[in-house]
Amino acid sequence: MRNIRFMALGVSAVMLLAGCSAGGGGGGGGGDSDEIVVGAVYSITGSQASIDEPAYNGFKLAAKEINDAGGINGKQIRVAFSDAASDTTTLTNVVSELIENDGAVALGGTNDSTFALAAGPIAQAAGIPFVASGATLPTLPDQVGDYMFMACYGDDLQAQAIADYSMEELDAKTAWALVDQAYDFTTALNKFFQERFTANGGEIVLEDSYKSGDTDYSAQIARLQALPTQPDVLFVSAIPNEAGIITQQIREAGLTQPIVSGDGYDTPLVAEVAGDNSKDVYFSTHVSLESEDAVVQDFVAAYTEEYGTGPENAFAALGYDTMNLIADALKRATDDTDPAAVKDALASTQDLVAVTGTISYPEGSRKPSKAVSIMRIVDKVTTFVKVIEP
Amino acid sequence: MKSTIARKTVVLLGGLVLLVVLLGVADATLNNYYLRILQLIGIYIVLTASLNLTNGFTGDFSLGHAAFMAIGGYTSALLTMPLAARALQLAELPVWFQEFVSPFPLATVLGGILAALVALPVGLVVLRLRGHYLAVATLGLLIIVKSIASNWEPVTRGARGLSGLNAETNLWWAFGWAVITIFVVWRMVHSPFGRSMIAVRDDSVAAASRGVHVFRIRLVAFIMSAFFGGVGGALLAHQLTAITPPTYSFDLTFLIVIMLVIGGSGSVTGSVIGAIIMTILPVILRDLERRFELPGVSQIIIAAALIAFMIFRRQGLMGNRELHPSTWFMKKPATPASVDAPQQ
Amino acid sequence: MTINYILQQLVNGLALGSIYALLAIGLTMVYGILRLINFAHGDLMMLGAYVSSIFISATVVPILLAVLIPTLLIAVMGLIVERTAYKPLRGAPEVAMLITSLGVSRLIQNSTVLALSPQPRAFSLPGDLTKTVNVGGIRFTQLDVLTFLLVIVLMVLLTLYINRSKTGMAMRASSENLQAARLIGINVNWAIGAAFVLGSALAGTAGFLWASRYGIIDPFMGFLPGVKAFVAAVIGGIGSIRGAVVGGVLLGVAEIGFVGFLPPEFSGYRDAFVFSLLLIVLLVRPNGLFGASEVERA
Amino acid sequence: MLEIRNLSVAYGKIVAVSDLSLTVNEGEIVTVVGGNGAGKTTTLRTVSGVLKPRAGEILFKGQSIVGLPPEAIVTRGISHSPEGRMIFGRLTITENLKLGAYNRKDAAGVKSDMERMFGMFPVLEQRKSQRAGTLSGGEQQMLAIARSLMSRPTLLLLDEPSLGLAPLLVEKIFDVVVELRNEGVTILLVEQNANEALRISDRAYVLETGTVTVEGPSTELINDPKLRAAYLGLD
């Protein structure tokens, strides 16, 4: 037990280290009067990277545009960022670091609800507003508290939109559902889709599941083919990594029904992986990047110029909108150095024109009521079909 | 002899007082971010020191520590979850469950106990294996536990996980459990039982021929290791406040294994050193990543460092030795530092 | 459940199992000699897939090159890994090698992320190889058939090589007793190197096949198939080429069968099932189906 | 032929051989006797290149062989028949013998040597395509010796060839050793069964805790009453 003493030594070493880096850490604190620190919480390595990286790029792009246009109230925005590495422990450390050491007055980020549920309470406890980019859990703001906002719509909206579209436009009466058990997002999307579909008189003939990382769906597809009568549509609740390969395997099996899904399908991987098999796919998403709307086109152009490639998916637009939402609130806040004032300003956001649709927070809600875009993929090309207003 | 014992007690108490004072100072002066890192150090000490019981002392190389952490984490989370969060997340569970909120300390202990209870039948099965096969079997255990956490919707909420926990883990709990773990592990190792453990590790056939109940020793070590693994998992759950199956991933097991290996399997103080280094190093590297905008480099550095360690210093920093700070402070190195350390 | 459905799932299982088998051969050869679970084996497959993807994008290069080049490059890569990371550990406890291989696995994954990107990439093979053919209601691709045949041919050739050639004999001797092999003048580093080169080459080929079959590659794609292939090798009996192939195919069929024949609610337990199978085999028949009858040294 | 000068070998911190010197002349049988842990096997393993010495010289035919890999030492003409025989039980008898000739390039010579071994040990020929693990202890020892002869050594290191064998077989093994010497192979023999070993050898060394304590012609040693009591288990 004598080594307790050693532990104590270790502890003091840590404290020394903490002291040093707190003292030396990049200009720490929001006290610097000519800049406003906004924290970005994204994972640019690990499993989240494929959706978080575009979002972070969008986030930085918005901040750059704002700064180039003279900043906010005469102050420049500094985006404080540290990679959350798709790991809950790192993520929570990063959130805390951005608040405590960087002095962020507001935070934006995460495209995953479970990560948002871990990050949110830290911001809530510290009294710093947090705007979730693409975490679509409808109850997220209520579960975390009054400092939690969403830049995106809830899964309920997009699931209902694609369910309605399937029934009304594709004349679907029956559906097969394949759900990824590994994600909060995919299970929630599936739940809301099935609720809406059955509530409106449709029937789910079979629900099958897999786990993200599985690459072989032949067993599930064979089971689908063995059904006595084929369903009208195939609902696939998948994340982008698997959207393409599932489509490929379904079509290779000779199934021709429309495939319907949510924003997990909003990825070029569907066309790339499934190739000629990427046909008759319909999905709901935040925005059509093909839209002729000027806001969208300007964003796509700016993103392409900045990063040399077009926005990889709608999450880029959500990241962009997240920063703009925060900036809008900072402009209107009674005191742009006071997180509580920024929170109040965020809560009163009205008719903010954003790439992913006009954002307003209804009274007492911190989840925007936004339009959902329905997209269709035909022969490798994604086209805009229609907007469904909530 | 008597004075040595008295001296030990004084040093022990002195050390504890110093630790309490230091933690008090840290608690009062550091911001929440540094406190989080410090808490993590405490939690990782619990996890590394407990993994040392199997991987270091009985030589049963387990890759399944995160499985026991998951059991402890989920159990404690279910027990402490505030009623409001429960109504939202766990409406399907029976009524009695909707009414009883356990205090955090009790939940932590129960989490550990459940992990230990699971370890009993699991140990009876997997400990029939040794070496590589045991490593893969315990990795299998981790995957099985994670599968259950991902699929047992009514209780674990599957992929959505459990969230809205109170942030109960603080410096005192983290280091309190760290001290308890070190104390228990140290006492186990420096007892006849511990000598049997080491005999089992070094030559189980010879140990058996000397009348050591080899299997029982290994099983007890496995269960104790699981208990503290469960406790550590509970502490982590209540730091993160939201847990999902990937929280207790193979990466986490691997991190604890790295801590153990770098500190030196077979040394209790080595576990402490390994946990401290491998908590702080990633933080420093992440800071460098930030400054030089090279995301992912820290993972590469840690992996390369691990390989280099295995090649050039595979016994870890401490090997089988222990640090005895008492001998430094009292300037009385009468006994060599490794006198009661396990002999190779 | 029609007979067609059962046959279809069987074919699906064979296709998946063939790739496991290809990976398992490499793992079993390396484990046989070094007692090393090479956790980086699956990551070599991932590298093979990436190398292959460079060549399929250039349409002038025939598919044969897209197979051969990764096969050769990954063989070299395997040898480099062996010489730099594992060779310095000769004589070290087996756990030290196991930890090192985990480190190598991480190093390969994260270097790929840094050098390329964490984003998954599409991998679509031009031509008809991945087009589905329908024979009497059973669907499969030409590639599935080729993979299966390749595995059988490789099994026969490698078994002959191991049993008849001088290096093969040296490998078997080394796997039985490394110490004795050195004493009688066998260059064991040569034998070990040969095992790594052959095994890694097959991992490179498997990378091409896996990517062609599933159409998508990412830096983390290799780890789980690698571990599952080890499970396959254990089921078949570690050290035996034939065992690795039979184990791989059995595991593929069992895995697909588990998903295909149990109610859909169980699909999520797929990996849990694979490892439960491993535990059962280890406990009931620790030497696997074709393993050496001697008591395992592990 | 073989000259070991001031050899020291250690396993980590444990010194197994220290300052050991020993000579084997061409055509001799030299015996090394000593108790458990005296450093006999360590010495042989260092000569065959499996262990690296901490200090000292090993000269074979006048040239240093320290630092050479084991296969190079075999090629130079030293063959080691290890303690515990270490035959490859899962390989056939023929394969075991072929491996003994692993570094030889002359296929015809290997073939004729194989015939020679079968002539010397007829039991091996009868069972040549069976797994070596099926042989009895004495047969395995014969295989081990035959295997090490397959490299056509000029110096044979024999480690405990009689270990665990019935007296009749011990006799047979020692007959073989003498026969080999008559064919021109120089032999360095390590034996617990010192009495038998000394009877057939020319000179002998006694090792104690890693160093040579007594050396001399075998006939002298065998009659030294002190040694008889200490090492030869005779009174």
Side-chain angles (χ1 to χ4, degrees):
Chain A
M1 267 329 280
R2 284 170 290 180
N3 52 323
I4 286 295
R5 182 72 70 90
F6 183 79
M7 261 174 48
L9 281 175
V11 171
S12 46
V14 175
M15 284 166 56
L16 265 175
L17 178 103
C20 292
S21 75
D32 213 345
S33 61
D34 58 354
E35 72 172 20
I36 300 175
V37 181
V38 178
V41 184
Y42 292 105
S43 297
I44 55 174
T45 57
S47 60
Q48 289 292 308
S50 64
I51 52 176
D52 268 20
E53 199 175 26
Y56 175 50
N57 284 341
F59 195 92
K60 281 189 296 185
L61 175 65
K64 181 169 177 281
E65 287 178 354
I66 294 161
N67 286 340
D68 288 349
I72 291 169
N73 309 331
K75 299 181 207 173
Q76 293 279 297
I77 291 177
R78 182 166 72 83
V79 176
F81 169 78
S82 187
D83 181 17
S86 309
D87 167 66
T88 318
T89 307
T90 311
L91 174 94
T92 51
N93 286 346
V94 163
V95 170
S96 187
E97 185 183 16
L98 295 176
I99 293 170
E100 304 286 346
N101 288 7
D102 293 277
V105 70
L107 299 171
T110 91
N111 292 306
D112 179 273
S113 302
T114 49
F115 282 154
L117 283 170
I122 297 171
Q124 177 74 29
I128 304 288
F130 191 116
V131 181
S133 288
T136 44
L137 178 70
T139 53
L140 179 63
D142 295 332
Q143 274 180 259
V144 175
D146 58 346
Y147 280 80
M148 189 86 200
F149 297 85
M150 285 163 72
C152 51
Y153 51 57
D155 285 326
D156 46 351
L157 276 188
Q158 64 162 329
Q160 287 157 8
I162 194 67
D164 291 351
Y165 184 82
S166 302
M167 303 190 86
E168 289 159 19
E169 310 281 333
L170 303 173
D171 294 325
K173 305 275 184 295
T174 53
W176 172 74
L178 178 68
V179 56
D180 179 354
Q181 294 287 8
Y183 287 94
D184 184 11
F185 153 66
T186 48
T187 48
L189 191 72
N190 174 53
K191 175 173 151 269
F192 291 121
F193 178 87
Q194 293 199 15
E195 277 173 10
R196 183 72 154 209
F197 199 79
T198 48
N200 289 345
E203 186 200 348
I204 305 293
V205 290
L206 177 67
E207 179 191 309
D208 215 327
S209 69
Y210 69 98
K211 188 176 73 30
S212 178
D214 291 352
T215 35
D216 192 298
Y217 309 94
S218 51
Q220 288 93 337
I221 292 169
R223 176 157 36 218
L224 160 64
Q225 288 189 299
L227 288 173
T229 51
Q230 284 296 301
D232 299 330
V233 290
L234 310 176
F235 172 71
V236 178
S237 193
I239 62 158
N241 286 17
E242 271 106 15
I245 176 173
I246 294 173
T247 306
Q248 161 79 1
Q249 292 189 15
I250 288 176
R251 291 291 181 242
E252 275 298 328
L255 293 160
T256 54
Q257 299 98 315
I259 295 172
V260 297
S261 186
D263 64 344
Y265 258 65
D266 189 2
T267 163
L269 283 170
V270 175
E272 285 169 31
V273 174
D276 295 338
N277 282 320
S278 57
K279 52 192 162 209
D280 270 328
V281 175
Y282 298 84
F283 63 90
S284 56
T285 190
H286 306 271
V287 61
S288 160
L289 293 171
E290 281 76 29
S291 162
E292 285 167 16
D293 191 305
V295 184
V296 178
Q297 285 313 307
D298 289 351
F299 163 70
V300 172
Y303 192 97
T304 311
E305 189 180 333
E306 182 75 16
Y307 300 109
T309 163
E312 289 84 350
N313 47 41
F315 292 99
L318 284 172
Y320 184 82
D321 287 351
T322 302
M323 181 67 237
N324 279 326
L325 245 176
I326 294 170
D328 175 65
L330 285 168
K331 273 181 211 151
R332 290 183 288 105
T334 51
D335 176 359
D336 61 22
T337 59
D338 176 16
V342 178
K343 181 240 339 176
D344 291 338
L346 266 173
S348 62
T349 301
Q350 285 301 323
D351 299 324
L352 176 72
V353 179
V355 179
T356 59
T358 307
I359 299 176
S360 300
Y361 289 119
E363 185 67 34
S365 162
R366 296 173 302 281
K367 179 178 70 170
S369 158
K370 287 202 295 192
V372 180
S373 296
I374 302 289
M375 313 289 289
R376 177 182 185 192
I377 305 176
V378 189
D379 295 331
K380 295 194 259 188
V381 180
T382 306
T383 51
F384 170 70
V385 179
K386 68 183 288 192
V387 163
I388 295 188
E389 297 291 343
Chain B
M1 196 58 210
K2 197 167 183 181
S3 73
T4 320
I5 291 169
R7 203 193 318 265
K8 272 187 179 175
T9 313
V10 168
V11 171
L12 177 68
L13 287 176
L16 274 176
V17 169
L18 184 64
L19 178 71
V20 168
V21 169
L22 280 171
L23 290 178
V25 171
D27 207 16
T29 57
L30 293 181
N31 71 29
N32 285 332
Y33 172 60
Y34 295 114
L35 289 177
R36 283 189 88 82
I37 305 289
L38 273 184
Q39 289 163 18
L40 273 180
I41 290 179
I43 296 171
Y44 286 141
I45 289 174
V46 170
L47 293 170
T48 312
S50 57
L51 187 64
N52 205 350
L53 281 175
T54 50
N55 293 32
F57 290 110
T58 54
D60 287 320
F61 193 84
S62 164
L63 285 174
H65 215 41
F68 298 117
M69 294 175 60
I71 293 168
Y74 270 96
T75 306
S76 63
L78 286 168
L79 289 170
T80 66
M81 186 183 285
L83 290 179
R86 260 182 231 202
L88 193 66
Q89 300 180 35
L90 298 165
E92 292 173 44
L93 291 185
V95 175
W96 62 263
F97 180 77
Q98 306 295 346
E99 285 162 4
F100 170 70
V101 175
S102 154
F104 176 58
L106 177 65
T108 312
V109 173
L110 288 176
I113 289 176
L114 195 69
L117 285 178
V118 171
L120 173 65
V122 168
L124 283 172
V125 174
V126 300
L127 289 177
R128 288 166 60 183
L129 307 165
R130 295 217 70 160
H132 275 143
Y133 284 159
L134 178 65
V136 175
T138 48
L139 173 63
L141 170 71
L142 170 56
I143 288 175
I144 291 167
V145 167
K146 269 186 69 178
S147 284
I148 293 170
S150 299
N151 289 287
W152 196 13
E153 284 276 338
V155 175
T156 64
R157 296 185 79 239
R160 291 170 292 170
L162 302 174
S163 57
L165 308 178
N166 290 330
E168 303 269 11
T169 300
N170 56 27
L171 273 191
W172 304 108
W173 283 123
F175 278 88
W177 275 107
V179 168
I180 292 170
T181 310
I182 293 169
F183 181 77
V184 171
V185 171
W186 186 275
R187 290 303 295 263
M188 272 179 81
V189 173
H190 295 90
S191 67
F193 182 85
R195 280 186 285 281
S196 303
M197 285 165 78
I198 289 150
V200 166
R201 174 190 69 192
D202 292 344
D203 189 343
S204 58
V205 177
S209 69
R210 289 208 313 271
V212 174
H213 293 284
V214 172
F215 193 83
R216 203 164 71 193
I217 299 275
R218 295 169 62 211
L219 187 62
V220 170
F222 191 70
I223 290 171
M224 286 305 288
S225 171
F227 173 80
F228 285 109
V231 167
L235 291 171
L236 188 66
H238 289 84
Q239 186 193 43
L240 300 175
T241 74
I243 53 172
T244 56
T247 306
Y248 301 103
S249 62
F250 179 69
D251 289 10
L252 185 56
T253 278
F254 188 48
L255 178 67
I256 307 295
V257 168
I258 295 179
M259 289 175 174
L260 184 60
V261 169
I262 287 193
S265 322
S267 161
V268 180
T269 38
S271 301
V272 177
I273 296 169
I276 293 173
I277 290 177
M278 283 308 298
T279 312
I280 295 176
L281 184 68
V283 171
I284 295 173
L285 288 175
R286 192 160 52 76
D287 205 48
L288 293 177
E289 274 186 359
R290 241 186 112 160
R291 267 177 221 177
F292 298 104
E293 295 189 3
L294 283 171
V297 166
S298 63
Q299 287 293 320
I300 295 178
I301 294 176
I302 289 171
L306 177 71
I307 297 170
F309 238 87
M310 294 321 294
I311 293 175
F312 299 111
R313 199 175 166 83
R314 76 184 61 112
Q315 73 277 32
L317 290 171
M318 296 300 295
N320 283 340
R321 289 165 300 145
E322 298 288 0
L323 271 186
H324 289 233
S326 57
T327 54
W328 311 345
F329 292 119
M330 290 186 286
K331 297 183 181 344
K332 188 181 166 292
T335 51
S338 59
V339 70
D340 52 355
Q343 299 292 327
Q344 179 71 7
Chain C
M1 199 180 293
T2 63
I3 186 83
N4 244 10
Y5 179 74
I6 295 170
L7 284 175
Q8 180 66 56
Q9 297 290 28
L10 186 67
V11 167
N12 293 340
L14 286 176
L16 176 66
S18 299
I19 304 187
Y20 284 157
L22 215 47
L23 287 172
I25 293 174
L27 282 165
T28 210
M29 292 202 316
V30 166
Y31 188 89
I33 298 189
L34 275 183
R35 311 281 135 183
L36 161 70
I37 300 180
N38 188 9
F39 276 105
H41 196 68
D43 301 292
L44 289 177
M45 174 186 95
M46 177 273 291
L47 286 181
Y50 268 91
V51 173
S52 192
S53 76
I54 299 168
F55 291 96
I56 57 150
S57 53
T59 45
V60 279
V61 184
I63 287 175
L64 207 55
L65 280 190
V67 186
L68 288 179
I69 292 177
T71 301
L72 294 176
L73 272 179
I74 301 309
V76 174
M77 187 72 201
L79 189 64
I80 293 172
V81 167
E82 199 284 313
R83 287 295 187 254
T84 51
Y86 302 143
K87 184 159 176 271
L89 289 170
R90 291 278 195 282
E94 57 182 36
V95 161
M97 287 198 292
L98 180 127
I99 296 168
T100 307
S101 82
L102 282 168
V104 172
S105 165
R106 286 309 153 97
L107 192 66
I108 295 176
Q109 288 168 9
N110 289 297
S111 304
T112 311
V113 168
L114 195 71
L116 301 166
S117 148
Q119 307 280 351
R121 283 190 189 183
F123 183 109
S124 65
L125 201 60
D128 293 334
L129 276 183
T130 51
K131 293 280 172 291
T132 306
V133 263
N134 191 324
V135 176
I138 312 293
R139 287 161 291 99
F140 49 85
T141 67
Q142 296 176 30
L143 192 76
D144 293 340
V145 179
L146 284 179
T147 307
F148 185 70
L149 292 177
L150 179 73
V151 167
I152 300 300
V153 169
L154 279 172
M155 174 177 82
V156 172
L157 288 181
L158 276 172
T159 307
L160 281 176
Y161 180 75
I162 300 280
N163 282 337
R164 300 287 161 81
S165 79
K166 206 169 150 186
T167 305
M169 214 156 62
M171 285 164 72
R172 278 185 294 142
S174 303
S175 92
E176 199 177 322
N177 191 334
L178 209 58
Q179 185 81 295
R182 293 190 69 196
L183 271 179
I184 65 163
I186 293 173
N187 185 340
V188 294
N189 284 328
W190 168 262
I192 291 166
F196 264 92
V197 165
L198 286 172
S200 307
L202 297 187
T205 314
F208 165 81
L209 294 169
W210 186 277
S212 304
R213 180 166 163 78
Y214 299 116
I216 192 163
I217 57 179
D218 73 80
F220 303 100
M221 66 187 266
F223 187 76
L224 197 58
V227 176
K228 283 190 186 172
F230 184 78
V231 173
V234 171
I235 290 174
I238 207 96
S240 156
I241 305 274
R242 190 175 40 152
V245 171
V246 173
V249 169
L250 275 183
L251 184 67
V253 170
E255 198 180 317
I256 294 290
F258 178 82
V259 180
F261 297 119
L262 287 182
E265 297 87 273
F266 290 94
S267 300
Y269 287 101
R270 183 176 187 156
D271 293 341
F273 167 72
V274 168
F275 281 92
S276 308
L277 207 60
L278 170 80
L279 286 178
I280 292 166
V281 170
L282 281 179
L283 294 168
V284 176
R285 202 182 162 93
N287 293 314
L289 299 175
F290 297 101
S293 52
E294 289 154 65
V295 177
E296 191 51 52
R297 278 185 278 170
Chain D
M1 177 169 254
L2 180 74
E3 201 175 346
I4 301 174
R5 289 184 197 149
N6 310 106
L7 186 74
S8 293
V9 191
Y11 300 95
K13 282 176 186 163
I14 302 156
V15 176
V17 168
S18 69
D19 204 26
L20 177 143
S21 297
L22 177 158
T23 311
V24 184
N25 299 313
E26 188 152 4
E28 277 187 323
I29 297 178
V30 173
T31 299
V32 176
V33 293
N36 269 330
K40 309 179 303 265
T41 297
T42 304
T43 307
L44 290 197
R45 288 178 163 217
T46 313
V47 171
S48 45
V50 177
L51 297 174
K52 300 280 169 259
R54 177 172 285 184
E57 273 295 338
I58 303 174
L59 300 177
F60 180 63
K61 295 177 181 166
Q63 284 179 315
S64 172
I65 54 167
V66 170
L68 292 180
E71 58 271 19
I73 291 173
V74 171
T75 316
R76 287 181 179 221
I78 300 180
S79 195
H80 185 159
S81 177
E83 180 184 0
R85 310 190 266 275
M86 295 197 187
I87 53 138
F88 303 112
R90 280 184 240 152
L91 275 58
T92 65
I93 287 150
T94 314
E95 284 173 336
N96 269 278
L97 292 176
K98 278 186 185 163
L99 282 169
Y102 186 74
N103 289 301
R104 285 175 63 181
K105 302 276 180 278
D106 55 326
V110 172
K111 207 167 153 50
S112 73
D113 276 358
M114 186 98 77
E115 295 307 320
R116 204 163 62 90
M117 290 308 136
F118 286 150
M120 200 183 285
F121 307 103
V123 63
L124 297 182
E125 181 165 30
Q126 288 160 24
R127 310 180 57 178
K128 63 183 176 185
S129 42
Q130 291 182 19
R131 286 181 169 213
T134 62
L135 296 175
S136 73
E139 291 162 347
Q140 289 191 9
Q141 185 59 55
M142 289 173 203
L143 176 60
I145 294 175
R147 185 181 64 183
S148 47
L149 291 173
M150 285 298 292
S151 66
R152 275 214 181 147
T154 44
L155 173 65
L156 178 64
L157 312 178
L158 267 179
D159 198 348
E160 307 278 9
S162 73
L163 195 69
L165 298 186
L168 214 67
L169 283 166
V170 175
E171 199 80 13
K172 162 90 179 146
I173 295 287
F174 281 115
D175 287 350
V176 168
V177 173
V178 174
E179 192 184 331
L180 286 173
R181 191 260 299 272
N182 294 340
E183 289 180 17
V185 182
T186 308
I187 289 160
L188 178 57
L189 176 67
V190 160
E191 260 297 346
Q192 299 255 1
N193 192 345
N195 205 30
E196 284 290 321
L198 288 176
R199 225 166 29 80
I200 62 162
S201 61
D202 304 304
R203 290 187 304 111
Y205 292 83
V206 176
L207 255 58
E208 253 175 274
T209 58
T211 197
V212 174
T213 50
V214 181
E215 60 174 291
S218 301
T219 44
E220 278 178 27
L221 264 66
I222 210 166
N223 293 319
D224 184 327
K226 222 171 79 192
L227 277 176
R228 288 179 69 88
Y231 294 105
L232 308 183
L234 306 169
D235 41 17

